[in-house]
Amino acid sequence: SAVISQKPSRDICQRGTSLTIQCQVDSQVTMMFWYRQQPGQSLTLIATANQGSEATYESGFVIDKFPISRPNLTFSTLTVSNMSPEDSSIYLCSARDQLNTEAFFGQGTRLTVV
Amino acid sequence: QKEVEQNSGPLSVPEGAIASLNCTYSDRGSQSFFWYRQYSGKSPELIMSIYSNGDKEDGRFTAQLNKASQYVSLLIRDSQPSDSATYLCAVSPSGTYKYIFGTGTRLKVLA
């Protein structure tokens, strides 16, 4: 299984600022994903990060708010822009190599916006 | 209709009993199914994957898949207090790499 390192593990940010979350995988993977998990809720997919092309966003999420980079097959970043208290959540990075293989998760980033 | 549905629970079982967790999905063409366990404050960890109809066993865990009924389940035998967690069902819709997660079932194993 892939080992995924995500940082920061937590942060407290002022509203109106931006935070970039980094995700590093210990092996090359085809697909990387970014999820949000509100307290007591399940995981909601924000976007799929494709290497060499723009990310694919799910309904309700837009690139201006959540810009994503995927410069190579082992690394991705998610930026939460112009933050408001409603963005307080856990953000999770996930990676998967091929169809019919499992996805693994980073440790998550607990974001609090004040 | 939600794409992946689970009973949110909590499901309480006594120690040593069998816990049965259920999940239904809407995309009939889905090919990949997964169960994750998530402890409070932690990220999800993979327990089981299943791709074909029938049962798949791994230690105390058995995943069951019925594509005709669009139903996947997880059985935990000899439940332990350490199994107390939220169990997330994930489905990979046909032709995609992404996972869609259910809302999760919170399991409490009573000592």
Side-chain angles (χ1 to χ4, degrees), chain A residues 37 42 58 96 100 102-103 106, chain B residues 32 36 38 49 92 97 99 102:
Chain A
Q37 188 172 31
S42 188
E58 298 298 307
R96 183 182 190 190
N100 289 349
E102 297 87 1
Chain B
S32 308
Y36 285 82
Q38 187 175 29
S49 59
S92 190
Y97 282 88
Y99 285 18

Side-chain angles (χ1 to χ4, degrees), chain A residues 36 44-47 57-66 91:
Chain A
R36 182 171 72 184
T44 300
L45 181 63
I46 297 172
Y57 289 83
E58 298 298 307
S59 176
F61 297 96
V62 295
I63 187 171
D64 289 346
K65 176 66 176 178
F66 298 101
Y91 292 85

